[in-house]
Amino acid sequence: MYWQKEQECLTRSNLENLQLERLKKVLKRVGTNVPFYRNKFNSLHLNPDKLTSLEGIRDYPFTLKQDLRDNYPYGLFAVPLRDVVRVHSSSGTTGMATVVGYSKNDIVTWSNLVARILCGAGVTPDDVIQIAFGYGLFTGGFGLHYGAERLGASVIPISAGNTKRQIQIMQDFKSTALVCTPSYALKMADVMMDMGVNPNGLSLRYGLFGAEPWSEAMRQEINERLGIRATDNYGLSEVLGPGIAGECFECNGLHVNEDHFIIEVLDPDTLEPVKPGDVGELVITTLTKEAFPVIRYRTRDLTRLLPEPCPCGRTFHRISRILGRSDDMLIIKGVNVFPTQIESILFEIEGTEPHYRLIVERENNEDKLTVLVEVVESIFFDEMKKQRAFINSIRKRMSSELGIGVDIQLVEERTLERFSGKADRVIDKRKL
Ligand code: DLL
């Protein structure tokens, strides 16, 4: 019944022994091969050989997104570039991007882990799986592709976008499983309606959705409108990409592939563990990655640890769906966007004031970002043609740096409310 029952149903004590053994190995390896970790471990007098329990991980320092940026592009790789067979990068501007690498073995591990998640969500070698995640530097497309092939399903690597064609292919190729972001699944349901396609007439049975936050209500809507069983899966490029955690048929939390990752759920302020079941920030250590291991990576994703046994029989702990972020990162159309990226673009454009608001909405199941920008009087009262050219130049700049389309609205100087405390420039109207 289970694709890798031996691993996924390990007893907790066997699992923890395996984790400890692997943890020691990875700490030793990064302590030897990666100057960043070596220096940190040395300055804290940490010796992985002395680690006697999993709790000992708490003595080790965290890794932050900023550390990845500081070591851009290859500074945190633990193997020579010669042994790296694939590079991915998280979304964001070129300057903000983080680069991750995979060895040959990493690709094998990654494929296996994604295959597990697909299997947990119901996919079998008999399925025809339509992968509507972007293929490219984003880990979604390739990650799920390799996992689906590993499982032996028939893969349609259609990538994201061109929704009418997606639906045509879904009909013609008789896709049984759909893989994409949850918002794109709803968009597909809308377009199906416009095209007069009845979802009940399709072969679709399963949907595996992830890469952005969604809710139980959204799941119900997807299930009803597409007539499928939708499951959630989670990952982030800095740690692996997809393949870290996924839901089984119980649809009640995501099993973490704990033989390859140690997770901690910590209070983002005190950085102490929260009680099981309480909300905290997910911190992940990779146990088996060769090219790009990370130690105690602060994901900034908020979740709850669900340690109760799952009726499916898997012993890996579950986490709840991702409940939010402990930083200000937004996910718009599946792309990670930090308000500071927009701010720094505005700073470089003459005539704009460093006062702005970001309005995120969901229209027809598609995310829309509008940036309200304060501009100096001379521009605000400029003739229409000039103003339009100005707006277009900001829009182009932002779209190319952020990787998503943006609407720009100019507002008069001093119209946006000023903050006396913590600035809150984002108005997220999406009801997930
Ligand atoms: O989104 C990896 C992925 C691809 C996961 C396909 C699942 C399916 P990044 O682009 O690095 O990687 O973005 C990672 O996206 O820190 C979360 O904030 C968010 N995220 C990912 N999966 C989920 C999910 C991929 N299931 C960031 N629910 C993460 C909520 C998610 N948020």
Side-chain angles (χ1 to χ4, degrees):
M1 179 175 176
Y2 302 107
W3 193 68
Q4 288 192 316
K5 187 170 178 183
E6 254 172 51
Q7 287 93 343
E8 292 179 84
C9 300
L10 274 172
T11 62
R12 285 306 297 181
S13 67
N14 283 347
L15 172 66
E16 285 170 11
N17 287 339
L18 178 70
Q19 285 185 318
L20 183 59
E21 188 190 310
R22 290 183 165 174
L23 176 62
K24 281 169 116 164
K25 267 197 202 150
V26 71
L27 289 172
K28 264 172 124 160
R29 210 149 45 74
V30 296
T32 311
N33 297 350
V34 186
F36 166 82
Y37 287 112
R38 185 165 58 234
N39 297 338
K40 283 202 163 189
F41 294 179
N42 284 346
S43 66
L44 293 165
H45 308 291
L46 292 167
N47 178 355
D49 280 329
K50 297 212 173 121
L51 198 72
T52 52
S53 74
L54 285 174
E55 284 69 46
I57 197 173
R58 287 196 219 137
D59 297 331
Y60 282 79
F62 294 103
T63 307
L64 309 176
K65 200 179 185 91
Q66 190 58 43
D67 297 322
L68 270 63
R69 293 194 187 123
D70 292 346
N71 289 281
Y72 178 88
Y74 299 137
L76 294 186
F77 282 21
V79 298
L81 210 48
R82 189 186 344 111
D83 297 333
V84 170
V85 297
R86 177 97 65 81
V87 169
H88 280 284
S89 171
S90 80
S91 40
T93 60
T94 35
M96 304 269 289
T98 51
V99 180
V100 294
Y102 303 78
S103 68
K104 261 190 191 151
N105 286 334
D106 289 336
I107 297 286
V108 172
T109 310
W110 191 14
S111 312
N112 282 335
L113 296 184
V114 172
R116 269 187 197 174
I117 282 164
L118 289 163
C119 177
V123 180
T124 72
D126 294 327
D127 279 293
V128 178
I129 180 165
Q130 181 160 340
I131 300 186
F133 271 131
Y135 280 66
L137 286 177
F138 175 56
T139 51
F142 280 103
L144 276 132
H145 180 108
Y146 274 62
E149 281 191 352
R150 175 78 184 91
L151 186 66
S154 313
V155 179
I156 306 175
I158 188 164
S159 196
N162 202 343
T163 313
K164 280 193 179 154
R165 186 159 161 262
Q166 297 268 358
I167 291 161
Q168 189 66 52
I169 296 244
M170 195 179 279
Q171 280 181 307
D172 297 349
F173 295 8
K174 302 193 174 14
S175 312
T176 57
L178 173 65
V179 170
C180 58
T181 58
S183 53
Y184 196 46
L186 281 179
K187 162 107 186 162
M188 283 198 195
D190 287 346
V191 176
M192 274 179 205
M193 255 172 52
D194 296 346
M195 291 168 70
V197 171
N198 179 358
N200 295 330
L202 299 171
S203 310
L204 213 55
R205 287 186 301 156
Y206 303 116
L208 284 98
F209 306 117
E212 67 179 13
W214 54 313
S215 60
E216 209 41 49
M218 219 166 138
R219 185 205 313 261
Q220 294 312 329
E221 192 182 339
I222 295 175
N223 282 348
E224 278 162 28
R225 293 188 61 194
L226 290 179
I228 57 172
R229 186 197 279 258
T231 51
D232 190 5
N233 72 95
Y234 166 82
L236 66 166
S237 38
E238 291 87 341
V239 176
L240 178 76
I244 297 171
E247 277 183 330
C248 61
F249 259 11
E250 298 295 321
C251 291
N252 189 16
L254 295 79
H255 289 278
V256 177
N257 278 320
E258 284 186 288
D259 50 344
H260 294 265
F261 306 98
I262 291 181
I263 58 160
E264 300 168 80
V265 180
L266 307 181
D267 180 317
D269 296 322
T270 63
L271 297 173
E272 288 298 320
V274 296
K275 285 204 296 293
D278 284 358
V279 176
E281 181 182 322
L282 185 66
V283 170
I284 311 181
T285 299
T286 65
L287 294 176
T288 50
K289 270 173 76 191
E290 293 181 343
F292 194 83
V294 281
I295 309 301
R296 303 192 86 198
Y297 185 73
R298 286 192 62 184
T299 65
R300 303 285 178 175
D301 289 316
L302 298 175
T303 184
R304 293 185 287 121
L305 180 68
L306 309 171
E308 304 80 32
C310 181
C312 78
R314 290 178 180 80
T315 50
F316 292 162
H317 282 160
R318 286 167 293 164
I319 52 170
S320 73
R321 61 171 67 252
I322 301 299
L323 304 164
R325 301 267 312 167
S326 71
D327 64 8
D328 54 0
M329 187 180 93
L330 295 161
I331 303 184
I332 302 173
K333 291 189 186 169
V335 175
N336 305 343
V337 175
F338 286 93
T340 43
Q341 289 175 272
I342 291 171
E343 189 170 302
S344 41
I345 298 171
L346 289 178
F347 262 114
E348 287 169 20
I349 296 175
E350 209 172 314
T352 64
E353 299 282 329
H355 300 291
Y356 61 94
R357 283 295 179 284
L358 307 184
I359 301 175
V360 195
E361 292 158 293
R362 189 157 282 174
E363 268 178 16
N364 302 325
N365 291 316
E366 220 172 336
D367 291 339
K368 181 174 163 224
L369 170 64
T370 308
V371 185
L372 305 187
V373 189
E374 271 191 23
V375 285
V376 294
E377 225 171 85
S378 57
I379 291 182
F380 193 75
F381 292 107
D382 229 334
E383 52 183 279
M384 284 285 260
K385 205 168 138 200
K386 275 195 190 155
Q387 219 186 61
R388 212 169 292 143
F390 185 71
I391 290 177
N392 273 339
S393 72
I394 306 183
R395 187 171 30 219
K396 265 198 196 141
R397 178 89 185 269
M398 286 204 183
S399 301
S400 84
E401 290 207 21
L402 302 175
I404 48 167
V406 178
D407 270 352
I408 306 290
Q409 266 179 35
L410 304 186
V411 296
E412 214 175 330
E413 257 174 307
R414 286 187 289 276
T415 39
L416 295 176
E417 188 199 331
R418 303 297 192 253
F419 300 99
S420 48
K422 216 167 134 59
D424 188 10
R425 300 192 176 89
V426 180
I427 303 161
D428 197 337
K429 296 185 178 167
R430 290 175 294 188
K431 283 194 190 63
L432 297 179

